[in-house]
Amino acid sequence: MSVLICPSMMCADFSNVKTEVNRLDKAGVDIFHMDVMDGHYVPNVGLGVEDYKAIRKNTNTTMDIHLMVSNPDQYINIFSDLGPNIIYVHPDTTPMITRTLEQIKEKGIHPGIAINPAISVSQIQELLPLVDYVLVMTVNPGFAGQPFLDYVIPKIQTLTILKKERQFKLMVDGAISPDKIGQLSQMGVDGFIVGTSALFGKNRPYDEIVSDLRNRNHLDN
């Protein structure tokens, strides 16, 4: 089965966003990944409403929102009318995460949880029946260009077993190189958020890169 390739649009060239989106669509990417950061939950400020609108008006491809914010409920209300298909929230950003996930689902959007390197599977296991996606952070969230944290791999392995029972898609995000796609797809990871480690700034056409990334799970057999 082909892996999901999801460009992290925080790494895209927003000076020519229409061309970027069109080239990525032509390459057949699966999900446009949008990092929304508030400068409080993580020490950085990321994409906002106008950035989201700029991409959505140029594509019908699936888009997600990764809310790296405190008080995510208010952001869900802001972004839910802009056309997201998936919204990820961090379980440690609200005292009533189950209500937040229900709110997302009631809006007809796929609920997902994103878990930082310090969050264990045991801390989120009760939430798995409530979500359609689990996004495992393989770096500490907030900045691009960090190294992949190998100590997260056992957590990923555990989740590949649980996803067969709970029927969620397992995604990974953070320093995802072509080699990591090959390694982790063989474990059972469904999709990869790709940025500067695999996709952007390579001086190659996106369609060539995306094709190579999809083939990684076959090459490593």
Side-chain angles (χ1 to χ4, degrees):
M1 184 175 178
S2 181
V3 297
L4 301 173
I5 301 298
C6 314
S8 175
M9 298 308 289
M10 188 171 65
C11 303
D13 179 8
F14 267 85
S15 68
N16 196 4
V17 67
K18 181 176 181 179
T19 299
E20 281 280 83
V21 171
N22 290 342
R23 287 174 177 169
L24 290 164
D25 263 336
K26 182 182 176 183
V29 300
D30 298 287
I31 300 170
F32 286 96
H33 182 77
M34 303 290 289
D35 287 312
V36 175
M37 296 179 279
D38 63 358
H40 182 261
Y41 177 66
V42 293
N44 201 0
V45 176
L47 303 175
V49 168
E50 296 306 317
D51 301 312
Y52 195 94
K53 288 179 179 178
I55 292 174
R56 176 43 91 199
K57 75 178 182 180
N58 287 298
T59 185
N60 292 317
T61 297
T62 298
M63 290 182 67
D64 70 24
I65 297 175
H66 177 192
L67 292 178
M68 288 179 273
V69 299
S70 302
N71 302 314
D73 297 67
Q74 64 185 9
Y75 288 83
I76 292 167
N77 291 328
I78 291 170
F79 282 95
S80 60
D81 293 334
L82 302 182
N85 305 97
I86 307 159
I87 295 180
Y88 294 102
V89 291
H90 285 258
D92 52 333
T93 57
T94 172
M96 292 295 290
I97 184 63
T98 53
R99 185 170 60 191
T100 301
L101 294 171
E102 289 169 1
Q103 178 187 359
I104 295 169
K105 192 166 188 176
E106 286 170 359
K107 292 179 178 294
I109 300 167
H110 292 290
I113 51 172
I115 53 176
N116 293 338
I119 300 290
S120 67
V121 174
S122 62
Q123 290 173 274
I124 53 93
Q125 194 155 352
E126 287 79 10
L127 301 177
L128 296 179
L130 306 178
V131 301
D132 296 325
Y133 290 82
V134 174
L135 179 66
V136 178
M137 299 300 299
T138 48
V139 298
N140 290 304
F143 293 95
Q146 300 179 68
F148 186 97
L149 300 174
D150 285 304
Y151 63 77
V152 178
I153 289 178
K155 177 163 59 180
I156 294 172
Q157 291 174 314
T158 300
L159 287 166
T160 61
I161 298 169
L162 290 171
K163 80 184 185 80
K164 297 173 184 176
E165 176 187 354
R166 297 301 186 182
Q167 299 296 302
F168 57 82
K169 293 285 188 184
L170 180 59
M171 317 291 283
V172 292
D173 179 7
I176 301 299
S177 66
D179 287 344
K180 288 300 180 187
I181 291 176
Q183 176 189 7
L184 298 176
S185 63
Q186 291 303 306
M187 292 181 186
V189 171
D190 298 296
F192 300 88
I193 313 304
V194 290
T196 55
S197 295
L199 180 61
F200 293 102
K202 302 304 180 188
N203 296 315
R204 292 176 58 206
Y206 289 145
D207 52 355
E208 288 183 9
I209 298 174
V210 170
S211 177
D212 288 347
L213 295 179
R214 290 194 195 283
N215 288 331
R216 293 303 304 185
N217 60 329
H218 303 299
L219 293 174
D220 285 17
N221 279 337

